[in-house]
Amino acid sequence: MSALNRYNDENALIGVKETPVGKSTKKAFDPQAFLAKVGAGKAILKFERSQHVFTQGDVADAVFYIQKGRVKLTVVSEQGKEAVVGILEPGQFFGEGCLNGHPLRIATATAVEECMITSISKEAMIHTVQSEPKFSELFMAYLLTRNSRIEEDLIDQLFNSSEKRLARLLLLLAHFGTESTTQPILIDISQETLAEMIGTTRSRVSFFMNKFRKLGLISYNGKIEVHNSLLDAVLHEKPEIERDDDL
């Protein structure tokens, strides 16, 4: 090789950087960006208030993620009795039972306000969980949190009075923290729905709500506002909240 050619070859490499060993040029996976965009096996759906996302008995072939709005899950027994088993908020998944071999939906999902929801096919969900560790971490964190909530709800149902169950539910719906003094429940929720969620009658919920209001534990100002005193009553077993059910 001539000196001129060798000079040209060497200078052609000036400014060229080698890719470090062990580092991939693949763009980092962003779980939130993945959930917010349409793609293979994904769709962005909009639902109006009271519109069903799916109904009990439908084919279970997709997982859903709430971007905006809230969704109510209800179950109807063979005898026709309906129960509200949860109200889901932005950042939560639902319909994941299809990943566990459930061929049909075991509950009905209904928008309680205008919603924007990402639908992810079963196949796309399985592929993403297996291939993207960050998404897998996000989904696993959701499952663990939901499992803890289910265990707490079961303990609450087994050992607490309907009055204390209502107090706990109001605190959960208000996302109450120990540093807050008053926190509104942003969702428009009826006393009938509250009764279905804690396993009692609407008349009992009405009685307890009036009692809480008279005691200054909650107030109504267009929406329900939960006061710090309700949290204090629940945490410290104050006599304002009865422990034994008097149904």
Side-chain angles (χ1 to χ4, degrees):
M1 179 182 296
S2 68
L4 178 61
N5 287 339
R6 186 165 58 252
Y7 173 82
N8 290 336
D9 288 344
E10 290 174 353
N11 280 272
L13 295 175
I14 296 175
V16 176
K17 296 181 179 180
E18 294 183 3
T19 301
V21 176
K23 290 191 176 181
S24 173
T25 59
K26 181 182 176 181
K27 186 177 180 180
F29 181 83
D30 184 344
Q32 296 301 332
F34 169 81
L35 291 165
K37 295 179 181 178
V38 174
K42 292 186 298 172
I44 307 299
L45 309 174
K46 291 185 178 181
F47 295 89
E48 300 299 323
R49 181 176 180 177
S50 300
Q51 186 177 357
H52 292 321
V53 181
F54 55 75
T55 58
Q56 190 171 335
D58 285 352
V59 174
D61 57 2
V63 178
F64 298 90
Y65 176 82
I66 304 174
Q67 292 190 40
K68 174 187 174 184
R70 293 172 177 82
V71 172
K72 175 175 68 174
L73 295 181
T74 58
V75 175
V76 178
S77 69
E78 294 181 358
Q79 292 74 33
K81 184 177 180 180
E82 183 177 273
V84 178
V85 295
I87 293 183
L88 308 177
E89 302 187 333
Q92 292 186 298
F93 294 88
F94 64 100
E96 69 277 3
C98 66
L99 304 177
N100 195 33
H102 290 167
L104 303 176
R105 300 294 184 190
I106 61 175
T108 295
T110 307
V112 296
E113 57 192 16
E114 186 177 291
C115 291
M116 181 179 292
I117 295 173
T118 303
S119 170
I120 313 167
S121 70
K122 177 181 177 180
E123 292 75 16
M125 190 72 181
I126 292 173
H127 171 75
T128 308
V129 167
Q130 292 176 342
S131 61
E132 299 293 349
K134 288 187 178 180
F135 183 80
S136 182
E137 289 175 8
L138 175 72
F139 188 56
M140 183 65 72
Y142 156 74
L143 292 177
L144 292 173
T145 300
R146 193 201 64 169
N147 186 64
S148 296
R149 172 67 185 275
I150 291 173
E151 290 179 351
E152 292 168 359
D153 288 347
L154 178 59
I155 293 170
D156 189 41
Q157 194 74 23
L158 289 173
F159 297 111
N160 290 329
S161 67
S162 55
E163 184 176 2
K164 189 169 183 181
R165 293 199 302 273
L166 176 60
R168 174 178 174 268
L169 177 59
L170 293 175
L171 291 166
L172 288 171
L173 290 173
H175 299 286
F176 212 94
T178 55
E179 297 180 358
S180 302
T181 56
T182 300
Q183 189 71 32
I185 294 177
L186 300 178
I187 188 173
D188 184 14
I189 189 167
S190 67
Q191 291 188 358
E192 184 177 3
T193 298
L194 291 172
E196 290 174 349
M197 293 184 73
I198 64 172
T200 190
T201 63
R202 184 187 179 282
S203 61
R204 296 298 292 169
V205 167
S206 178
F207 174 80
F208 296 141
M209 293 288 282
N210 287 329
K211 177 181 176 181
F212 292 167
R213 182 166 53 180
K214 289 176 182 177
L215 290 169
L217 305 179
I218 65 172
S219 60
Y220 291 108
N221 185 20
K223 291 184 179 294
I224 302 170
E225 291 188 339
V226 179
H227 298 168
N228 190 60
S229 51
L230 181 63
L231 178 63
D232 186 59
V234 171
L235 291 177
H236 299 97
E237 299 286 350
K238 296 288 183 69
E240 292 93 329
I241 306 296
E242 297 293 339
R243 183 168 182 80
D244 296 321
D245 213 330
D246 53 351
L247 285 173

